Structure formats: C-alpha cells, structure tokens
Amino acid sequence: MRQLHASEVDVYRSVRLRALACDPAAFESSYEREASFDDATWRSRLATFAGRPGAVFVVDIDGRAEAMMGIGQGPIEAQAVVWGMWVAPAFRRRGYGEQLLAAGFAWARGFGLESISLEVFPANSAAVALYQAAGFRPAGAADAPTESGQALTLLLSVQ
C-alpha cells in the first residue's frame, strides 16, 4: 500500500476508471465524465481535494493497483473527507479496505485533522460494515443518521 505521487497519473487514471466502470452506483461521478479528464486534472486530483490538501492511496497486487482511496481536507475545519474508495472484486474481503483506511487515518492525523467523514450508499452493505468496523458512526444524533441525497454520512474521530 502506498500513496501515489503527481507523476503517477496513469496509475491513478487506470484504477479510478476501473472503479467507475465496475461499480458505477457506488460513486457520485461517472466513467464517461472522468474519462474525459486531461492529465492536469488527474494530476491535481492526486494532490488536492477541492483546492485543499489531499492524497490518493493504492494497493498494488502483482504490479497493478487493485484498490484505491482518495482523502482530502474537507470544507469543515479539522475534518478530512474520504471521497472515493474501491477494491477490485477479486480482492475484496482480504483486508485491503482496512489498510487503506489506516493510511487515511495516519494522513489525517499528520495534518492535525480531528475527524474523517465519508458518504456511503446504505445498499452497499459490505462497505457500510467495513466503515462501521473501523469505528465510523452516523453523523449527527446517534439514533437519527443524517442523509445526503441517498448516501449515508458517517463520521470517525481520529484523535
């Protein structure tokens, strides 16, 4: 597992487009939209999140990125946002999601951020279970989770 650098546009583009093609309902973007991005856009997305610090982590298996997670400093002070996470179907339930989340937690702590939020579609039960096992809880009142569109917003303290 490693953090991608701005020079690794091809690696990032490949894994992100595979994720969008394989599981389009899991993302708030589309393969068609992102396939049209130029290299400058891909490079920017490797290092920033909406103009703030960000990172993309991947898990390489047999020389190919088979899992990825994007994280960045969010618009709420002291909070990171996981903006995209995916593991190739052949490699799910092998601990790669946990490894990516651990890297994200360390990244957030390194920036002095206190919490991480993410959105997940409730129908994606495997992802919900992964995030809950990692300590994520519904944002807002514990007994009244907030929803953004159809996605459930989860929050985790990393301090």
Side-chain angles (χ1 to χ4, degrees), residues 8-37:
E8 296 181 280
V9 170
D10 291 339
V11 174
Y12 174 47
R13 178 180 13 241
S14 174
V15 69
R16 177 70 177 172
L17 291 177
R18 285 178 44 229
L20 291 166
C22 180
D23 293 300
F27 300 97
E28 293 181 355
S29 189
S30 70
Y31 177 93
E32 294 75 20
R33 176 179 173 265
E34 295 193 20
S36 70
F37 289 170

PDB file of all heavy atoms in Angstrom, residues 8-37:
ATOM      1  N   GLU A   8       2.285   9.914 -11.158  1.00  0.00           N
ATOM      2  CA  GLU A   8       1.659   8.620 -11.410  1.00  0.00           C
ATOM      3  C   GLU A   8       0.223   8.755 -11.931  1.00  0.00           C
ATOM      4  O   GLU A   8      -0.668   7.997 -11.561  1.00  0.00           O
ATOM      5  CB  GLU A   8       1.697   7.784 -10.141  1.00  0.00           C
ATOM      6  CG  GLU A   8       3.122   7.453  -9.709  1.00  0.00           C
ATOM      7  CD  GLU A   8       3.170   6.612  -8.469  1.00  0.00           C
ATOM      8  OE1 GLU A   8       3.018   7.165  -7.364  1.00  0.00           O
ATOM      9  OE2 GLU A   8       3.338   5.368  -8.615  1.00  0.00           O
ATOM     10  N   VAL A   9       0.047   9.695 -12.820  1.00  0.00           N
ATOM     11  CA  VAL A   9      -1.263   9.954 -13.403  1.00  0.00           C
ATOM     12  C   VAL A   9      -1.838   8.693 -14.051  1.00  0.00           C
ATOM     13  O   VAL A   9      -3.025   8.382 -13.879  1.00  0.00           O
ATOM     14  CB  VAL A   9      -1.187  11.116 -14.425  1.00  0.00           C
ATOM     15  CG1 VAL A   9      -2.469  11.240 -15.218  1.00  0.00           C
ATOM     16  CG2 VAL A   9      -0.863  12.414 -13.719  1.00  0.00           C
ATOM     17  N   ASP A  10      -1.039   7.956 -14.793  1.00  0.00           N
ATOM     18  CA  ASP A  10      -1.536   6.772 -15.493  1.00  0.00           C
ATOM     19  C   ASP A  10      -2.054   5.707 -14.525  1.00  0.00           C
ATOM     20  O   ASP A  10      -3.074   5.064 -14.788  1.00  0.00           O
ATOM     21  CB  ASP A  10      -0.456   6.188 -16.400  1.00  0.00           C
ATOM     22  CG  ASP A  10      -0.133   7.088 -17.581  1.00  0.00           C
ATOM     23  OD1 ASP A  10      -0.978   7.937 -17.932  1.00  0.00           O
ATOM     24  OD2 ASP A  10       0.962   6.940 -18.152  1.00  0.00           O
ATOM     25  N   VAL A  11      -1.358   5.510 -13.407  1.00  0.00           N
ATOM     26  CA  VAL A  11      -1.794   4.533 -12.406  1.00  0.00           C
ATOM     27  C   VAL A  11      -3.131   4.966 -11.822  1.00  0.00           C
ATOM     28  O   VAL A  11      -4.082   4.172 -11.730  1.00  0.00           O
ATOM     29  CB  VAL A  11      -0.737   4.373 -11.289  1.00  0.00           C
ATOM     30  CG1 VAL A  11      -1.257   3.481 -10.170  1.00  0.00           C
ATOM     31  CG2 VAL A  11       0.564   3.833 -11.855  1.00  0.00           C
ATOM     32  N   TYR A  12      -3.212   6.227 -11.427  1.00  0.00           N
ATOM     33  CA  TYR A  12      -4.440   6.739 -10.832  1.00  0.00           C
ATOM     34  C   TYR A  12      -5.609   6.677 -11.810  1.00  0.00           C
ATOM     35  O   TYR A  12      -6.693   6.182 -11.477  1.00  0.00           O
ATOM     36  CB  TYR A  12      -4.225   8.168 -10.330  1.00  0.00           C
ATOM     37  CG  TYR A  12      -5.478   8.820  -9.830  1.00  0.00           C
ATOM     38  CD1 TYR A  12      -6.347   8.160  -8.962  1.00  0.00           C
ATOM     39  CD2 TYR A  12      -5.812  10.103 -10.222  1.00  0.00           C
ATOM     40  CE1 TYR A  12      -7.501   8.761  -8.507  1.00  0.00           C
ATOM     41  CE2 TYR A  12      -6.969  10.712  -9.764  1.00  0.00           C
ATOM     42  CZ  TYR A  12      -7.809  10.033  -8.912  1.00  0.00           C
ATOM     43  OH  TYR A  12      -8.954  10.631  -8.464  1.00  0.00           O
ATOM     44  N   ARG A  13      -5.392   7.158 -13.014  1.00  0.00           N
ATOM     45  CA  ARG A  13      -6.456   7.146 -14.026  1.00  0.00           C
ATOM     46  C   ARG A  13      -6.966   5.708 -14.232  1.00  0.00           C
ATOM     47  O   ARG A  13      -8.167   5.460 -14.276  1.00  0.00           O
ATOM     48  CB  ARG A  13      -5.949   7.729 -15.345  1.00  0.00           C
ATOM     49  CG  ARG A  13      -6.987   7.704 -16.455  1.00  0.00           C
ATOM     50  CD  ARG A  13      -6.519   8.274 -17.790  1.00  0.00           C
ATOM     51  NE  ARG A  13      -5.103   8.487 -17.922  1.00  0.00           N
ATOM     52  CZ  ARG A  13      -4.520   9.677 -18.143  1.00  0.00           C
ATOM     53  NH1 ARG A  13      -5.248  10.757 -18.292  1.00  0.00           N
ATOM     54  NH2 ARG A  13      -3.215   9.758 -18.252  1.00  0.00           N
ATOM     55  N   SER A  14      -6.057   4.763 -14.347  1.00  0.00           N
ATOM     56  CA  SER A  14      -6.424   3.371 -14.598  1.00  0.00           C
ATOM     57  C   SER A  14      -7.299   2.802 -13.480  1.00  0.00           C
ATOM     58  O   SER A  14      -8.362   2.233 -13.739  1.00  0.00           O
ATOM     59  CB  SER A  14      -5.168   2.527 -14.775  1.00  0.00           C
ATOM     60  OG  SER A  14      -5.497   1.170 -14.874  1.00  0.00           O
ATOM     61  N   VAL A  15      -6.871   2.937 -12.241  1.00  0.00           N
ATOM     62  CA  VAL A  15      -7.630   2.343 -11.137  1.00  0.00           C
ATOM     63  C   VAL A  15      -8.942   3.082 -10.919  1.00  0.00           C
ATOM     64  O   VAL A  15      -9.988   2.465 -10.663  1.00  0.00           O
ATOM     65  CB  VAL A  15      -6.793   2.242  -9.844  1.00  0.00           C
ATOM     66  CG1 VAL A  15      -6.484   3.605  -9.237  1.00  0.00           C
ATOM     67  CG2 VAL A  15      -7.471   1.328  -8.829  1.00  0.00           C
ATOM     68  N   ARG A  16      -8.946   4.385 -11.055  1.00  0.00           N
ATOM     69  CA  ARG A  16     -10.187   5.155 -10.863  1.00  0.00           C
ATOM     70  C   ARG A  16     -11.213   4.824 -11.951  1.00  0.00           C
ATOM     71  O   ARG A  16     -12.388   4.620 -11.651  1.00  0.00           O
ATOM     72  CB  ARG A  16      -9.873   6.656 -10.849  1.00  0.00           C
ATOM     73  CG  ARG A  16     -11.085   7.548 -10.721  1.00  0.00           C
ATOM     74  CD  ARG A  16     -11.742   7.486  -9.377  1.00  0.00           C
ATOM     75  NE  ARG A  16     -12.852   8.452  -9.343  1.00  0.00           N
ATOM     76  CZ  ARG A  16     -13.721   8.560  -8.390  1.00  0.00           C
ATOM     77  NH1 ARG A  16     -13.635   7.776  -7.329  1.00  0.00           N
ATOM     78  NH2 ARG A  16     -14.685   9.447  -8.435  1.00  0.00           N
ATOM     79  N   LEU A  17     -10.776   4.745 -13.201  1.00  0.00           N
ATOM     80  CA  LEU A  17     -11.706   4.422 -14.276  1.00  0.00           C
ATOM     81  C   LEU A  17     -12.219   2.980 -14.157  1.00  0.00           C
ATOM     82  O   LEU A  17     -13.389   2.710 -14.441  1.00  0.00           O
ATOM     83  CB  LEU A  17     -11.083   4.684 -15.643  1.00  0.00           C
ATOM     84  CG  LEU A  17     -10.846   6.157 -15.977  1.00  0.00           C
ATOM     85  CD1 LEU A  17     -10.165   6.304 -17.331  1.00  0.00           C
ATOM     86  CD2 LEU A  17     -12.133   6.972 -15.917  1.00  0.00           C
ATOM     87  N   ARG A  18     -11.362   2.068 -13.714  1.00  0.00           N
ATOM     88  CA  ARG A  18     -11.823   0.696 -13.475  1.00  0.00           C
ATOM     89  C   ARG A  18     -12.888   0.680 -12.386  1.00  0.00           C
ATOM     90  O   ARG A  18     -13.896  -0.038 -12.492  1.00  0.00           O
ATOM     91  CB  ARG A  18     -10.658  -0.209 -13.083  1.00  0.00           C
ATOM     92  CG  ARG A  18      -9.782  -0.575 -14.267  1.00  0.00           C
ATOM     93  CD  ARG A  18      -8.564  -1.440 -13.908  1.00  0.00           C
ATOM     94  NE  ARG A  18      -8.871  -2.519 -12.996  1.00  0.00           N
ATOM     95  CZ  ARG A  18      -8.159  -2.785 -11.897  1.00  0.00           C
ATOM     96  NH1 ARG A  18      -7.099  -2.069 -11.575  1.00  0.00           N
ATOM     97  NH2 ARG A  18      -8.490  -3.791 -11.119  1.00  0.00           N
ATOM     98  N   ALA A  19     -12.682   1.458 -11.333  1.00  0.00           N
ATOM     99  CA  ALA A  19     -13.660   1.533 -10.242  1.00  0.00           C
ATOM    100  C   ALA A  19     -14.997   2.057 -10.749  1.00  0.00           C
ATOM    101  O   ALA A  19     -16.053   1.493 -10.446  1.00  0.00           O
ATOM    102  CB  ALA A  19     -13.120   2.422  -9.126  1.00  0.00           C
ATOM    103  N   LEU A  20     -14.950   3.127 -11.525  1.00  0.00           N
ATOM    104  CA  LEU A  20     -16.182   3.717 -12.051  1.00  0.00           C
ATOM    105  C   LEU A  20     -16.899   2.778 -13.018  1.00  0.00           C
ATOM    106  O   LEU A  20     -18.136   2.727 -13.048  1.00  0.00           O
ATOM    107  CB  LEU A  20     -15.880   5.054 -12.730  1.00  0.00           C
ATOM    108  CG  LEU A  20     -15.468   6.186 -11.791  1.00  0.00           C
ATOM    109  CD1 LEU A  20     -14.864   7.338 -12.579  1.00  0.00           C
ATOM    110  CD2 LEU A  20     -16.650   6.653 -10.954  1.00  0.00           C
ATOM    111  N   ALA A  21     -16.146   2.032 -13.815  1.00  0.00           N
ATOM    112  CA  ALA A  21     -16.752   1.091 -14.754  1.00  0.00           C
ATOM    113  C   ALA A  21     -17.337  -0.127 -14.039  1.00  0.00           C
ATOM    114  O   ALA A  21     -18.405  -0.618 -14.411  1.00  0.00           O
ATOM    115  CB  ALA A  21     -15.719   0.643 -15.790  1.00  0.00           C
ATOM    116  N   CYS A  22     -16.645  -0.599 -13.013  1.00  0.00           N
ATOM    117  CA  CYS A  22     -17.055  -1.809 -12.304  1.00  0.00           C
ATOM    118  C   CYS A  22     -18.232  -1.564 -11.364  1.00  0.00           C
ATOM    119  O   CYS A  22     -19.150  -2.384 -11.292  1.00  0.00           O
ATOM    120  CB  CYS A  22     -15.860  -2.348 -11.517  1.00  0.00           C
ATOM    121  SG  CYS A  22     -16.185  -3.847 -10.584  1.00  0.00           S
ATOM    122  N   ASP A  23     -18.196  -0.464 -10.645  1.00  0.00           N
ATOM    123  CA  ASP A  23     -19.204  -0.182  -9.613  1.00  0.00           C
ATOM    124  C   ASP A  23     -19.747   1.242  -9.748  1.00  0.00           C
ATOM    125  O   ASP A  23     -19.599   2.060  -8.839  1.00  0.00           O
ATOM    126  CB  ASP A  23     -18.587  -0.373  -8.218  1.00  0.00           C
ATOM    127  CG  ASP A  23     -18.237  -1.818  -7.945  1.00  0.00           C
ATOM    128  OD1 ASP A  23     -19.153  -2.659  -7.964  1.00  0.00           O
ATOM    129  OD2 ASP A  23     -17.042  -2.107  -7.718  1.00  0.00           O
ATOM    130  N   PRO A  24     -20.396   1.557 -10.859  1.00  0.00           N
ATOM    131  CA  PRO A  24     -20.829   2.941 -11.091  1.00  0.00           C
ATOM    132  C   PRO A  24     -21.797   3.465 -10.045  1.00  0.00           C
ATOM    133  O   PRO A  24     -21.783   4.670  -9.739  1.00  0.00           O
ATOM    134  CB  PRO A  24     -21.478   2.885 -12.472  1.00  0.00           C
ATOM    135  CG  PRO A  24     -21.835   1.459 -12.684  1.00  0.00           C
ATOM    136  CD  PRO A  24     -20.808   0.661 -11.929  1.00  0.00           C
ATOM    137  N   ALA A  25     -22.606   2.618  -9.447  1.00  0.00           N
ATOM    138  CA  ALA A  25     -23.581   3.082  -8.460  1.00  0.00           C
ATOM    139  C   ALA A  25     -22.944   3.464  -7.132  1.00  0.00           C
ATOM    140  O   ALA A  25     -23.592   4.089  -6.294  1.00  0.00           O
ATOM    141  CB  ALA A  25     -24.644   1.998  -8.235  1.00  0.00           C
ATOM    142  N   ALA A  26     -21.678   3.137  -6.941  1.00  0.00           N
ATOM    143  CA  ALA A  26     -21.008   3.435  -5.675  1.00  0.00           C
ATOM    144  C   ALA A  26     -20.396   4.830  -5.630  1.00  0.00           C
ATOM    145  O   ALA A  26     -19.902   5.254  -4.586  1.00  0.00           O
ATOM    146  CB  ALA A  26     -19.922   2.399  -5.410  1.00  0.00           C
ATOM    147  N   PHE A  27     -20.430   5.537  -6.740  1.00  0.00           N
ATOM    148  CA  PHE A  27     -19.752   6.830  -6.826  1.00  0.00           C
ATOM    149  C   PHE A  27     -20.706   7.920  -7.287  1.00  0.00           C
ATOM    150  O   PHE A  27     -21.687   7.647  -7.968  1.00  0.00           O
ATOM    151  CB  PHE A  27     -18.564   6.748  -7.794  1.00  0.00           C
ATOM    152  CG  PHE A  27     -17.543   5.735  -7.385  1.00  0.00           C
ATOM    153  CD1 PHE A  27     -17.543   4.465  -7.931  1.00  0.00           C
ATOM    154  CD2 PHE A  27     -16.590   6.039  -6.429  1.00  0.00           C
ATOM    155  CE1 PHE A  27     -16.612   3.507  -7.548  1.00  0.00           C
ATOM    156  CE2 PHE A  27     -15.644   5.101  -6.036  1.00  0.00           C
ATOM    157  CZ  PHE A  27     -15.659   3.828  -6.597  1.00  0.00           C
ATOM    158  N   GLU A  28     -20.377   9.131  -6.931  1.00  0.00           N
ATOM    159  CA  GLU A  28     -21.172  10.281  -7.363  1.00  0.00           C
ATOM    160  C   GLU A  28     -20.559  10.918  -8.603  1.00  0.00           C
ATOM    161  O   GLU A  28     -20.596  12.124  -8.777  1.00  0.00           O
ATOM    162  CB  GLU A  28     -21.305  11.290  -6.224  1.00  0.00           C
ATOM    163  CG  GLU A  28     -22.133  10.756  -5.073  1.00  0.00           C
ATOM    164  CD  GLU A  28     -22.306  11.737  -3.943  1.00  0.00           C
ATOM    165  OE1 GLU A  28     -21.705  12.832  -3.974  1.00  0.00           O
ATOM    166  OE2 GLU A  28     -23.049  11.406  -3.007  1.00  0.00           O
ATOM    167  N   SER A  29     -19.978  10.096  -9.450  1.00  0.00           N
ATOM    168  CA  SER A  29     -19.396  10.523 -10.708  1.00  0.00           C
ATOM    169  C   SER A  29     -19.662   9.420 -11.722  1.00  0.00           C
ATOM    170  O   SER A  29     -20.338   8.447 -11.406  1.00  0.00           O
ATOM    171  CB  SER A  29     -17.892  10.783 -10.556  1.00  0.00           C
ATOM    172  OG  SER A  29     -17.370  11.392 -11.718  1.00  0.00           O
ATOM    173  N   SER A  30     -19.108   9.564 -12.914  1.00  0.00           N
ATOM    174  CA  SER A  30     -19.309   8.531 -13.925  1.00  0.00           C
ATOM    175  C   SER A  30     -18.018   8.276 -14.686  1.00  0.00           C
ATOM    176  O   SER A  30     -17.129   9.138 -14.761  1.00  0.00           O
ATOM    177  CB  SER A  30     -20.395   8.953 -14.914  1.00  0.00           C
ATOM    178  OG  SER A  30     -19.928  10.010 -15.724  1.00  0.00           O
ATOM    179  N   TYR A  31     -17.952   7.112 -15.286  1.00  0.00           N
ATOM    180  CA  TYR A  31     -16.816   6.753 -16.123  1.00  0.00           C
ATOM    181  C   TYR A  31     -16.679   7.761 -17.262  1.00  0.00           C
ATOM    182  O   TYR A  31     -15.585   8.259 -17.525  1.00  0.00           O
ATOM    183  CB  TYR A  31     -16.993   5.331 -16.669  1.00  0.00           C
ATOM    184  CG  TYR A  31     -15.879   4.928 -17.608  1.00  0.00           C
ATOM    185  CD1 TYR A  31     -14.765   4.260 -17.120  1.00  0.00           C
ATOM    186  CD2 TYR A  31     -15.935   5.229 -18.964  1.00  0.00           C
ATOM    187  CE1 TYR A  31     -13.721   3.900 -17.970  1.00  0.00           C
ATOM    188  CE2 TYR A  31     -14.907   4.867 -19.818  1.00  0.00           C
ATOM    189  CZ  TYR A  31     -13.805   4.208 -19.318  1.00  0.00           C
ATOM    190  OH  TYR A  31     -12.780   3.864 -20.150  1.00  0.00           O
ATOM    191  N   GLU A  32     -17.782   8.069 -17.920  1.00  0.00           N
ATOM    192  CA  GLU A  32     -17.754   8.979 -19.071  1.00  0.00           C
ATOM    193  C   GLU A  32     -17.212  10.357 -18.675  1.00  0.00           C
ATOM    194  O   GLU A  32     -16.386  10.931 -19.402  1.00  0.00           O
ATOM    195  CB  GLU A  32     -19.158   9.119 -19.676  1.00  0.00           C
ATOM    196  CG  GLU A  32     -19.692   7.844 -20.287  1.00  0.00           C
ATOM    197  CD  GLU A  32     -20.166   6.798 -19.270  1.00  0.00           C
ATOM    198  OE1 GLU A  32     -20.443   7.160 -18.102  1.00  0.00           O
ATOM    199  OE2 GLU A  32     -20.211   5.617 -19.642  1.00  0.00           O
ATOM    200  N   ARG A  33     -17.651  10.868 -17.549  1.00  0.00           N
ATOM    201  CA  ARG A  33     -17.189  12.183 -17.087  1.00  0.00           C
ATOM    202  C   ARG A  33     -15.682  12.177 -16.848  1.00  0.00           C
ATOM    203  O   ARG A  33     -14.957  13.029 -17.337  1.00  0.00           O
ATOM    204  CB  ARG A  33     -17.931  12.578 -15.819  1.00  0.00           C
ATOM    205  CG  ARG A  33     -17.451  13.889 -15.213  1.00  0.00           C
ATOM    206  CD  ARG A  33     -18.262  14.228 -13.938  1.00  0.00           C
ATOM    207  NE  ARG A  33     -17.679  15.389 -13.304  1.00  0.00           N
ATOM    208  CZ  ARG A  33     -16.784  15.327 -12.320  1.00  0.00           C
ATOM    209  NH1 ARG A  33     -16.373  14.169 -11.849  1.00  0.00           N
ATOM    210  NH2 ARG A  33     -16.290  16.449 -11.796  1.00  0.00           N
ATOM    211  N   GLU A  34     -15.214  11.207 -16.089  1.00  0.00           N
ATOM    212  CA  GLU A  34     -13.808  11.212 -15.700  1.00  0.00           C
ATOM    213  C   GLU A  34     -12.882  10.734 -16.809  1.00  0.00           C
ATOM    214  O   GLU A  34     -11.718  11.132 -16.852  1.00  0.00           O
ATOM    215  CB  GLU A  34     -13.624  10.437 -14.398  1.00  0.00           C
ATOM    216  CG  GLU A  34     -14.347  11.154 -13.261  1.00  0.00           C
ATOM    217  CD  GLU A  34     -13.981  10.663 -11.878  1.00  0.00           C
ATOM    218  OE1 GLU A  34     -12.911  10.035 -11.703  1.00  0.00           O
ATOM    219  OE2 GLU A  34     -14.772  10.938 -10.952  1.00  0.00           O
ATOM    220  N   ALA A  35     -13.369   9.928 -17.725  1.00  0.00           N
ATOM    221  CA  ALA A  35     -12.541   9.500 -18.861  1.00  0.00           C
ATOM    222  C   ALA A  35     -12.159  10.695 -19.728  1.00  0.00           C
ATOM    223  O   ALA A  35     -11.144  10.649 -20.428  1.00  0.00           O
ATOM    224  CB  ALA A  35     -13.271   8.451 -19.688  1.00  0.00           C
ATOM    225  N   SER A  36     -12.922  11.763 -19.647  1.00  0.00           N
ATOM    226  CA  SER A  36     -12.629  12.955 -20.451  1.00  0.00           C
ATOM    227  C   SER A  36     -11.634  13.907 -19.778  1.00  0.00           C
ATOM    228  O   SER A  36     -11.212  14.887 -20.389  1.00  0.00           O
ATOM    229  CB  SER A  36     -13.923  13.715 -20.759  1.00  0.00           C
ATOM    230  OG  SER A  36     -14.435  14.325 -19.581  1.00  0.00           O
ATOM    231  N   PHE A  37     -11.237  13.633 -18.533  1.00  0.00           N
ATOM    232  CA  PHE A  37     -10.283  14.500 -17.832  1.00  0.00           C
ATOM    233  C   PHE A  37      -8.937  14.499 -18.542  1.00  0.00           C
ATOM    234  O   PHE A  37      -8.466  13.463 -19.017  1.00  0.00           O
ATOM    235  CB  PHE A  37     -10.052  14.036 -16.397  1.00  0.00           C
ATOM    236  CG  PHE A  37     -11.208  14.242 -15.451  1.00  0.00           C
ATOM    237  CD1 PHE A  37     -11.165  13.671 -14.194  1.00  0.00           C
ATOM    238  CD2 PHE A  37     -12.319  14.999 -15.780  1.00  0.00           C
ATOM    239  CE1 PHE A  37     -12.203  13.840 -13.289  1.00  0.00           C
ATOM    240  CE2 PHE A  37     -13.367  15.183 -14.888  1.00  0.00           C
ATOM    241  CZ  PHE A  37     -13.303  14.593 -13.636  1.00  0.00           C
TER     242      PHE A  37
END
